[in-house]
mmCIF file of all heavy atoms in Angstrom:
data_model
loop_
_atom_site.group_PDB
_atom_site.id
_atom_site.type_symbol
_atom_site.label_atom_id
_atom_site.label_comp_id
_atom_site.label_asym_id
_atom_site.label_seq_id
_atom_site.Cartn_x
_atom_site.Cartn_y
_atom_site.Cartn_z
ATOM 1 N N PRO A 215 -35.542 -0.644 37.371
ATOM 2 C CA PRO A 215 -34.487 -0.115 38.246
ATOM 3 C C PRO A 215 -33.200 -0.903 37.978
ATOM 4 O O PRO A 215 -33.277 -2.054 37.538
ATOM 5 C CB PRO A 215 -35.011 -0.396 39.661
ATOM 6 C CG PRO A 215 -36.472 -0.646 39.516
ATOM 7 C CD PRO A 215 -36.680 -1.188 38.137
ATOM 8 N N PRO A 216 -32.045 -0.320 38.244
ATOM 9 C CA PRO A 216 -30.791 -1.057 38.022
ATOM 10 C C PRO A 216 -30.784 -2.310 38.877
ATOM 11 O O PRO A 216 -31.405 -2.355 39.940
ATOM 12 C CB PRO A 216 -29.715 -0.069 38.452
ATOM 13 C CG PRO A 216 -30.412 0.914 39.327
ATOM 14 C CD PRO A 216 -31.831 0.971 38.863
ATOM 15 N N VAL A 217 -30.099 -3.359 38.401
ATOM 16 C CA VAL A 217 -30.001 -4.577 39.200
ATOM 17 C C VAL A 217 -29.363 -4.209 40.543
ATOM 18 O O VAL A 217 -28.437 -3.412 40.594
ATOM 19 C CB VAL A 217 -29.108 -5.627 38.476
ATOM 20 C CG1 VAL A 217 -28.876 -6.844 39.364
ATOM 21 C CG2 VAL A 217 -29.798 -6.018 37.174
ATOM 22 N N THR A 218 -29.934 -4.731 41.624
ATOM 23 C CA THR A 218 -29.537 -4.298 42.968
ATOM 24 C C THR A 218 -28.054 -4.469 43.206
ATOM 25 O O THR A 218 -27.515 -5.541 43.047
ATOM 26 C CB THR A 218 -30.284 -5.169 44.002
ATOM 27 O OG1 THR A 218 -31.628 -5.169 43.619
ATOM 28 C CG2 THR A 218 -30.122 -4.611 45.387
ATOM 29 N N ARG A 219 -27.462 -3.346 43.515
ATOM 30 C CA ARG A 219 -26.084 -3.425 44.029
ATOM 31 C C ARG A 219 -26.193 -2.990 45.488
ATOM 32 O O ARG A 219 -27.037 -2.198 45.838
ATOM 33 C CB ARG A 219 -25.181 -2.467 43.241
ATOM 34 C CG ARG A 219 -24.873 -3.006 41.838
ATOM 35 C CD ARG A 219 -24.043 -1.987 41.073
ATOM 36 N NE ARG A 219 -24.853 -0.832 40.727
ATOM 37 C CZ ARG A 219 -25.683 -0.827 39.670
ATOM 38 N NH1 ARG A 219 -25.793 -1.908 38.925
ATOM 39 N NH2 ARG A 219 -26.386 0.230 39.402
ATOM 40 N N HIS A 220 -25.357 -3.489 46.369
ATOM 41 C CA HIS A 220 -25.570 -3.183 47.788
ATOM 42 C C HIS A 220 -25.063 -1.774 48.089
ATOM 43 O O HIS A 220 -23.880 -1.543 48.240
ATOM 44 C CB HIS A 220 -24.896 -4.260 48.652
ATOM 45 C CG HIS A 220 -25.611 -5.568 48.484
ATOM 46 N ND1 HIS A 220 -26.857 -5.783 49.017
ATOM 47 C CD2 HIS A 220 -25.327 -6.653 47.730
ATOM 48 C CE1 HIS A 220 -27.288 -6.983 48.640
ATOM 49 N NE2 HIS A 220 -26.376 -7.521 47.865
ATOM 50 N N HIS A 221 -26.012 -0.838 48.081
ATOM 51 C CA HIS A 221 -25.656 0.557 48.384
ATOM 52 C C HIS A 221 -25.846 0.809 49.871
ATOM 53 O O HIS A 221 -26.752 0.254 50.469
ATOM 54 C CB HIS A 221 -26.638 1.515 47.692
ATOM 55 C CG HIS A 221 -26.668 1.397 46.202
ATOM 56 N ND1 HIS A 221 -25.870 2.135 45.391
ATOM 57 C CD2 HIS A 221 -27.413 0.608 45.395
ATOM 58 C CE1 HIS A 221 -26.140 1.819 44.130
ATOM 59 N NE2 HIS A 221 -27.068 0.909 44.106
ATOM 60 N N PRO A 222 -25.066 1.698 50.420
ATOM 61 C CA PRO A 222 -25.454 2.199 51.759
ATOM 62 C C PRO A 222 -26.854 2.812 51.608
ATOM 63 O O PRO A 222 -27.141 3.450 50.591
ATOM 64 C CB PRO A 222 -24.399 3.264 52.058
ATOM 65 C CG PRO A 222 -23.296 3.036 51.100
ATOM 66 C CD PRO A 222 -23.881 2.338 49.911
ATOM 67 N N SER A 223 -27.726 2.594 52.571
ATOM 68 C CA SER A 223 -29.149 2.916 52.360
ATOM 69 C C SER A 223 -29.336 4.381 51.931
ATOM 70 O O SER A 223 -30.140 4.680 51.072
ATOM 71 C CB SER A 223 -29.931 2.663 53.646
ATOM 72 O OG SER A 223 -29.321 3.414 54.679
ATOM 73 N N GLU A 224 -28.498 5.314 52.497
ATOM 74 C CA GLU A 224 -28.792 6.715 52.169
ATOM 75 C C GLU A 224 -28.597 6.971 50.670
ATOM 76 O O GLU A 224 -29.234 7.804 50.071
ATOM 77 C CB GLU A 224 -27.920 7.675 52.986
ATOM 78 C CG GLU A 224 -26.424 7.610 52.718
ATOM 79 C CD GLU A 224 -25.761 6.430 53.408
ATOM 80 O OE1 GLU A 224 -26.473 5.688 54.112
ATOM 81 O OE2 GLU A 224 -24.550 6.249 53.187
ATOM 82 N N GLU A 225 -27.732 6.173 49.997
ATOM 83 C CA GLU A 225 -27.454 6.476 48.578
ATOM 84 C C GLU A 225 -28.633 6.144 47.676
ATOM 85 O O GLU A 225 -28.786 6.709 46.614
ATOM 86 C CB GLU A 225 -26.252 5.659 48.113
ATOM 87 C CG GLU A 225 -24.901 6.296 48.402
ATOM 88 C CD GLU A 225 -23.811 5.437 47.784
ATOM 89 O OE1 GLU A 225 -24.053 4.846 46.708
ATOM 90 O OE2 GLU A 225 -22.753 5.362 48.404
ATOM 91 N N VAL A 226 -29.482 5.194 48.081
ATOM 92 C CA VAL A 226 -30.528 4.786 47.137
ATOM 93 C C VAL A 226 -31.876 5.345 47.549
ATOM 94 O O VAL A 226 -32.910 4.871 47.125
ATOM 95 C CB VAL A 226 -30.618 3.246 47.011
ATOM 96 C CG1 VAL A 226 -29.392 2.713 46.359
ATOM 97 C CG2 VAL A 226 -30.836 2.616 48.381
ATOM 98 N N ALA A 227 -31.834 6.397 48.379
ATOM 99 C CA ALA A 227 -33.115 6.942 48.857
ATOM 100 C C ALA A 227 -34.011 7.276 47.668
ATOM 101 O O ALA A 227 -35.199 7.061 47.693
ATOM 102 C CB ALA A 227 -32.847 8.189 49.682
ATOM 103 N N SER A 228 -33.451 7.845 46.594
ATOM 104 C CA SER A 228 -34.323 8.055 45.426
ATOM 105 C C SER A 228 -33.464 7.885 44.174
ATOM 106 O O SER A 228 -32.785 8.794 43.737
ATOM 107 C CB SER A 228 -34.904 9.470 45.443
ATOM 108 O OG SER A 228 -33.805 10.373 45.448
ATOM 109 N N LEU A 229 -33.526 6.684 43.653
ATOM 110 C CA LEU A 229 -32.717 6.377 42.469
ATOM 111 C C LEU A 229 -33.146 7.277 41.316
ATOM 112 O O LEU A 229 -34.334 7.342 41.011
ATOM 113 C CB LEU A 229 -32.920 4.908 42.062
ATOM 114 C CG LEU A 229 -32.151 3.862 42.864
ATOM 115 C CD1 LEU A 229 -32.593 2.466 42.444
ATOM 116 C CD2 LEU A 229 -30.663 4.018 42.636
ATOM 117 N N PRO A 230 -32.223 7.997 40.659
ATOM 118 C CA PRO A 230 -32.619 8.828 39.515
ATOM 119 C C PRO A 230 -33.003 7.921 38.340
ATOM 120 O O PRO A 230 -32.435 6.839 38.169
ATOM 121 C CB PRO A 230 -31.357 9.622 39.205
ATOM 122 C CG PRO A 230 -30.227 8.777 39.698
ATOM 123 C CD PRO A 230 -30.779 8.000 40.875
ATOM 124 N N VAL A 231 -33.971 8.384 37.526
ATOM 125 C CA VAL A 231 -34.432 7.544 36.407
ATOM 126 C C VAL A 231 -33.284 7.280 35.429
ATOM 127 O O VAL A 231 -33.242 6.249 34.777
ATOM 128 C CB VAL A 231 -35.646 8.196 35.701
ATOM 129 C CG1 VAL A 231 -35.265 9.453 34.952
ATOM 130 C CG2 VAL A 231 -36.320 7.197 34.758
ATOM 131 N N GLU A 232 -32.264 8.175 35.447
ATOM 132 C CA GLU A 232 -31.135 7.974 34.519
ATOM 133 C C GLU A 232 -30.369 6.697 34.868
ATOM 134 O O GLU A 232 -29.657 6.143 34.045
ATOM 135 C CB GLU A 232 -30.161 9.162 34.564
ATOM 136 C CG GLU A 232 -30.742 10.505 34.116
ATOM 137 C CD GLU A 232 -31.728 11.071 35.121
ATOM 138 O OE1 GLU A 232 -31.542 10.834 36.342
ATOM 139 O OE2 GLU A 232 -32.711 11.687 34.697
ATOM 140 N N SER A 233 -30.490 6.238 36.118
ATOM 141 C CA SER A 233 -29.747 5.007 36.478
ATOM 142 C C SER A 233 -30.529 3.756 36.072
ATOM 143 O O SER A 233 -30.055 2.641 36.238
ATOM 144 C CB SER A 233 -29.528 4.988 37.994
ATOM 145 O OG SER A 233 -30.789 4.820 38.630
ATOM 146 N N PHE A 234 -31.760 3.952 35.569
ATOM 147 C CA PHE A 234 -32.569 2.794 35.185
ATOM 148 C C PHE A 234 -32.107 2.262 33.831
ATOM 149 O O PHE A 234 -31.432 2.947 33.072
ATOM 150 C CB PHE A 234 -34.041 3.209 35.106
ATOM 151 C CG PHE A 234 -34.730 3.209 36.451
ATOM 152 C CD1 PHE A 234 -34.155 3.835 37.554
ATOM 153 C CD2 PHE A 234 -35.940 2.571 36.632
ATOM 154 C CE1 PHE A 234 -34.766 3.837 38.785
ATOM 155 C CE2 PHE A 234 -36.566 2.572 37.867
ATOM 156 C CZ PHE A 234 -35.973 3.198 38.942
ATOM 157 N N VAL A 235 -32.541 1.023 33.518
ATOM 158 C CA VAL A 235 -32.294 0.489 32.177
ATOM 159 C C VAL A 235 -33.617 0.471 31.430
ATOM 160 O O VAL A 235 -34.680 0.578 32.021
ATOM 161 C CB VAL A 235 -31.686 -0.929 32.234
ATOM 162 C CG1 VAL A 235 -30.306 -0.899 32.875
ATOM 163 C CG2 VAL A 235 -32.620 -1.900 32.963
#
Side-chain angles (χ1 to χ4, degrees):
V217 174
T218 311
R219 286 177 289 279
H220 292 288
H221 300 269
S223 55
E224 65 281 359
E225 275 185 34
V226 292
S228 58
L229 281 173
V231 69
E232 297 71 32
S233 68
F234 277 49
V235 295

